[in-house]
């Protein structure tokens, strides 16, 4: 089962290292979670990951895994470089309550 893409599952993991798997696997730190304006009944947020500068990544869908949340598939977009890191962003917009596991 795929983990829910809820803000609450990612919020406690800011600063944690995730494993990204695409052409090859590499670590990426979740460095920022930003709330987005959302219509009532919807949830919107973005996740910013810092991957190694030489990570073999292009815009696309990647399996992102962490022991606390399991694997999820995210569409990641390279959005810049900071110091020695490649910055990757995922934007999530979903109906509140969708895909949530009780």
């Amino acid at each position: 089962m795929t983990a829910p893409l809820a803000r609450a599952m990612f919020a406690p993991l800011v600063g944690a290292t995730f494993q990204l798997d695409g052409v090859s696997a590499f670590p990426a730190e979740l460095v920022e979670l930003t709330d987005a304006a959302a219509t009532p009944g919807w949830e919107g947020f973005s996740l910013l990951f810092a991957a190694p500068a030489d990570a073999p990544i292009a815009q696309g869908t990647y399996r992102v895994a962490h022991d606390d949340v399991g694997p999820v598939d995210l569409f990641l977009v390279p959005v810049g470089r900071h110091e020695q890191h490649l910055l990757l962003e995922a934007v999530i917009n979903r109906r509140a309550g969708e895909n949530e596991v009780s």
Side-chain angles (χ1 to χ4, degrees), residues 29 31 47-53 57 76-90:
E29 179 185 351
V31 294
L47 304 170
L48 189 66
F49 293 92
I57 190 166
L76 297 173
V77 177
V79 294
R81 293 190 186 277
H82 178 68
E83 297 174 4
Q84 299 175 352
H85 301 295
L86 173 63
L87 299 176
L88 308 166
E89 183 178 39

Side-chain angles (χ1 to χ4, degrees), residues 48-73:
L48 189 66
F49 293 92
D54 61 351
I57 190 166
Q59 176 175 299
T61 302
Y62 292 83
R63 174 78 26 117
V64 177
H66 186 278
D67 289 343
D68 290 350
V69 296
V72 295
D73 292 331

Side-chain angles (χ1 to χ4, degrees), residues 11-80:
L13 298 174
V14 173
T17 299
F18 286 71
Q19 189 68 24
L20 276 65
D21 196 6
V23 174
S24 63
F26 54 92
E29 179 185 351
L30 178 58
V31 294
E32 186 176 291
L33 184 152
T34 304
D35 290 320
T39 302
W42 287 78
E43 178 178 52
F45 59 96
S46 65
L47 304 170
L48 189 66
F49 293 92
D54 61 351
I57 190 166
Q59 176 175 299
T61 302
Y62 292 83
R63 174 78 26 117
V64 177
H66 186 278
D67 289 343
D68 290 350
V69 296
V72 295
D73 292 331
L74 295 176
F75 187 80
L76 297 173
V77 177
V79 294

